[in-house]
Amino acid sequence: MAIYITGDTHGDFRRFRPDIFPEQNSMTKEDLALICGDFGGIWFGDERDNADLDWLDQRPFTTAFVLGNHENYDACKSYPVEEWNGGKIQRIRPSLIHLMRGQVYEICGKRFFTMGGASSHDIQDGILEPDDPEFKKKFRQLEKRNAMFRVNHRSWWAEELPSKAEYGGLYKKDPLTDFFDEIRQRCRFRYWFFGHYHNNMVVEKKYAMLYEQIIKLK
């Protein structure tokens, strides 16, 4: 069983084309491609998502992902939850699965802890409420000056950060980064893979920041 890992896709799955990712020619559905956040394939929550989701399902491998901050959390809630390899997942397609927050999976003799989510860094100018009587006026004003803003339940969701229940037993009333720091100090792990920062870099030999690069886990 082979495991490949990559970073944010934002609904753009061209990196999995056979001419870009030729390793898939020898892969099967037992093999995994893991996306570390900002999957973006469930964005509209309707038939407009189907073409890309179906295309991923047709790859010779199984695709698994954690959610980032640029996700439609309302649409993602509609998928049923099931057990898979010791943890909870949402099965989007037969070979396309969401690895849920705060879960531990046994995969290929290895244990994987997953915790999706992140704080948006493109909302400095605010979050607009679509039911605001002055929504259109405010939207035009912000757009005209190229402001960094989002619209609640349309391009931004509060669920981008985990809830108290999703943090699990180690939860404390701190931001997500503080939670990760506690995990780093209290848990023993071989590698830590993460996306979000749109760069490819390895820090201190075990923290792997991934974006468009696809690496094979050894």
Side-chain angles (χ1 to χ4, degrees):
M1 180 181 184
I3 299 175
Y4 290 85
I5 307 176
T6 189
D8 305 18
T9 50
H10 293 283
D12 181 354
F13 306 112
R14 286 176 291 180
R15 74 188 67 173
F16 296 123
R17 283 173 19 194
D19 59 319
I20 298 175
F21 182 44
E23 291 87 347
Q24 65 188 279
N25 294 329
S26 60
M27 295 173 72
T28 71
K29 291 296 185 181
E30 295 299 312
D31 301 313
L32 290 177
L34 307 181
I35 301 171
C36 295
D38 279 348
F39 170 65
I42 308 170
W43 186 252
F44 299 103
D46 56 33
E47 66 277 357
R48 288 173 289 179
D49 294 326
N50 289 342
D52 285 336
L53 298 178
D54 291 342
W55 184 86
L56 279 177
D57 189 46
Q58 292 162 7
R59 299 305 90 206
F61 50 86
T62 293
T63 303
F65 62 91
V66 297
L67 295 175
N69 57 299
H70 291 149
E71 313 281 5
N72 185 336
Y73 281 92
D74 292 333
C76 291
K77 291 175 184 177
S78 66
Y79 292 90
V81 176
E82 62 180 83
E83 293 286 327
W84 181 81
N85 286 8
K88 294 179 180 180
I89 66 164
Q90 289 176 296
R91 192 173 295 277
I92 313 304
R93 292 291 188 276
S95 57
L96 175 60
I97 59 177
H98 167 216
L99 304 179
M100 300 181 72
R101 291 172 172 170
Q103 303 297 303
V104 177
Y105 306 94
E106 296 283 345
I107 306 172
C108 197
K110 299 178 176 65
R111 300 183 75 194
F112 290 78
F113 171 72
T114 57
M115 179 58 79
S119 294
S120 291
H121 50 75
D122 52 3
I123 56 174
Q124 292 92 324
D125 295 303
I127 304 294
L128 293 184
E129 295 294 338
D131 58 355
D132 185 335
E134 297 188 341
F135 170 78
K136 291 184 178 180
K137 177 183 177 181
K138 292 179 180 178
F139 186 94
R140 287 193 299 268
Q141 290 175 340
L142 289 168
E143 197 173 47
K144 186 176 181 179
R145 60 185 179 92
N146 295 317
M148 303 284 278
F149 73 101
R150 293 264 170 173
V151 180
N152 195 18
H153 291 286
R154 293 186 184 176
S155 58
W156 180 87
W157 285 262
E159 291 90 340
E160 67 177 27
L161 289 178
S163 67
K164 180 176 180 179
E166 288 170 327
Y167 277 116
L170 295 178
Y171 173 77
K172 289 186 177 181
K173 293 182 179 179
D174 296 316
L176 179 60
T177 51
D178 289 343
F179 172 77
F180 282 151
D181 191 52
E182 185 174 358
I183 291 289
R184 180 184 62 82
Q185 295 180 48
R186 296 180 58 177
C187 297
R188 296 175 58 190
F189 57 91
R190 187 172 181 184
Y191 297 112
W192 185 308
F193 299 99
F194 60 99
H196 187 60
Y197 294 102
H198 290 195
N199 203 350
N200 299 293
M201 183 185 303
V202 176
V203 181
E204 297 180 1
K205 297 184 179 180
K206 64 179 180 179
Y207 300 94
M209 179 195 303
L210 295 172
Y211 183 32
E212 293 177 326
Q213 183 180 8
I214 303 175
I215 65 172
K216 184 177 183 180
L217 183 63
K218 298 180 179 180

